[in-house]
Amino acid sequence: MADTPGIPNPPGKTRLVQHFEKSEIEDHNEAWANLWDTNNDDMWDRGRPSPALIDLIEKDDILNPITAEGRRKKVLVPGCGKGYDVVMLALHGFDVVGLEISSKGISIAEEYSRKEFLDPQTYNSGPSGSSNTGLVGRGSVTFIQGDFFKGDSLSGEKFDIIYDYTFLCAIHPRMRAQWATRMADLLITGGLLVCLEFPLFKDPGAIGPPWPLQGVHWDLLVEGGDGIVYPSTTPEKVPRVGGGGFERLRYIKPERSYESGRGTDMLSVYVRK
Ligand SMILES: C[S@@+](CC[C@H](N)C(=O)[O-])C[C@H]1O[C@@H](n2cnc3c(N)ncnc32)[C@H](O)[C@@H]1O
């Protein structure tokens, strides 16, 4: 991975950082697939759906699975990995599409989904055990192998909600403006982009993945910036491109999240204007 101006290499690089610095940005899809094919998905796998997202669904009507017209809302989870959040969302009544660049990842997610639908684990619901499942029934699950950044990967489909966890932080900072533009294209007007913002504890000068994201979502989605947060010593900033078509409706410090967030994760909900 070529160095980004203003972003110094820290000492003690992780396996993941070392893996990606060997390849150019245009080869990163292959680099992700290679990690899956060589059984290195332990580097990011959390083994269960997001507790913060579960709580938002169960406690806040903003994520009601049914529209005012009475149809199920369609949700996209890009870079869905093994599909934990995809399945949990479907168990809460949404029709969900999981998009993943790795064919092996998709096979694992399909198998997980089959088993989980037969006998869902308790971690799919919040501590009170409440979920919408009893009220609205289950939605559907579809897994698609494809590249989020390619227009044809989802056949022009639009979504009511998109959930991003460890997808934005997985891609190179120079792809962030494209991420914001693609998110806007994939959502209906009034659609929601829900982000579990991670990692917020990392030094903004550190390299990834996972790339540090302090202030990045706001810059991209609300201000229409390029999402590149330079250390304050860097004199110049890349001109603003893309994004900016969103307003933030929620910015919550979740009571429950993954240990890996070190107590700093934030859950944000942006509406597509
Ligand atoms: C850090 S992992 C997170 C996976 C999942 N969200 C989770 O929490 O387990 C990032 C995922 O994005 C996938 N990915 C990377 N680039 C992608 C792209 N352009 N389109 C679709 N998926 C991609 C990778 O294969 C990987 O599974």
Side-chain angles (χ1 to χ4, degrees):
M1 181 186 288
D3 287 344
T4 298
I7 300 185
N9 287 354
K13 296 171 190 169
T14 63
R15 276 194 294 151
L16 202 52
V17 167
Q18 288 178 46
H19 178 78
F20 279 94
E21 70 181 358
K22 285 185 218 143
S23 59
E24 297 298 324
I25 298 176
E26 52 273 21
D27 300 325
H28 281 188
N29 287 353
E30 276 170 44
W32 281 108
N34 173 270
L35 288 173
W36 279 98
D37 294 342
T38 53
N39 301 321
N40 276 300
D41 47 274
D42 63 298
M43 289 194 223
W44 60 83
D45 190 73
R46 309 279 187 246
R48 65 188 172 126
S50 164
L53 180 61
I54 292 170
D55 290 348
L56 187 71
I57 295 168
E58 295 186 359
K59 292 178 181 170
D60 190 330
D61 201 44
I62 199 170
L63 290 192
N64 189 317
I66 307 296
T67 65
E69 299 78 39
R71 69 165 174 82
R72 289 188 193 283
K73 289 182 189 166
K74 290 196 294 182
V75 184
L76 172 68
V77 183
C80 66
K82 294 187 182 176
Y84 304 113
D85 294 311
V86 173
V87 171
M88 179 276 291
L89 283 156
L91 290 173
H92 281 80
F94 297 92
D95 284 338
V96 196
V97 172
L99 180 70
E100 174 50 61
I101 198 71
S102 158
S103 308
K104 185 170 177 195
I106 289 291
S107 300
I108 294 172
E110 284 173 341
E111 181 58 20
Y112 171 77
S113 170
R114 267 191 292 275
K115 285 191 181 148
E116 210 56 25
F117 259 59
L118 287 175
D119 187 12
Q121 301 190 59
T122 52
Y123 61 39
N124 286 291
S125 303
S128 61
S130 67
S131 82
N132 300 323
T133 310
L135 300 174
V136 300
R138 297 173 179 181
S140 63
V141 164
T142 308
F143 288 105
I144 296 175
Q145 188 277 323
D147 182 352
F148 173 78
F149 295 101
K150 294 271 161 60
D152 56 0
S153 57
L154 293 161
S155 316
E157 202 174 348
K158 298 253 183 195
F159 295 87
D160 301 286
I161 298 169
I162 303 180
Y163 176 60
D164 185 303
Y165 172 61
T166 56
F167 183 58
L168 178 59
C169 75
I171 61 171
H172 192 277
R174 287 205 288 268
M175 299 293 286
R176 285 177 184 165
Q178 283 183 56
W179 172 93
T181 303
R182 185 83 174 118
M183 287 294 185
D185 286 349
L186 286 167
L187 282 167
I188 60 167
T189 302
L192 302 178
L193 174 55
V194 182
C195 302
L196 182 55
E197 300 189 6
F198 164 94
L200 301 182
F201 58 85
K202 275 184 99 172
D203 185 321
I207 58 170
W211 292 90
L213 291 184
Q214 298 97 318
V216 171
H217 294 82
W218 179 268
D219 182 67
L220 280 170
L221 298 169
V222 179
E223 295 193 342
D226 56 25
I228 302 205
V229 179
Y230 287 93
S232 54
T233 49
T234 304
E236 52 194 274
K237 185 154 168 55
V238 172
R240 297 192 154 199
V241 285
F246 291 83
E247 184 184 333
R248 194 167 69 188
L249 300 181
R250 299 280 190 283
Y251 193 52
I252 300 164
K253 177 137 190 66
E255 281 173 30
R256 301 190 305 137
S257 196
Y258 299 111
E259 294 287 309
S260 53
R262 300 185 196 171
T264 64
D265 287 354
M266 293 297 287
L267 191 62
S268 52
V269 180
Y270 296 86
V271 62
R272 172 82 177 98
K273 291 193 279 190

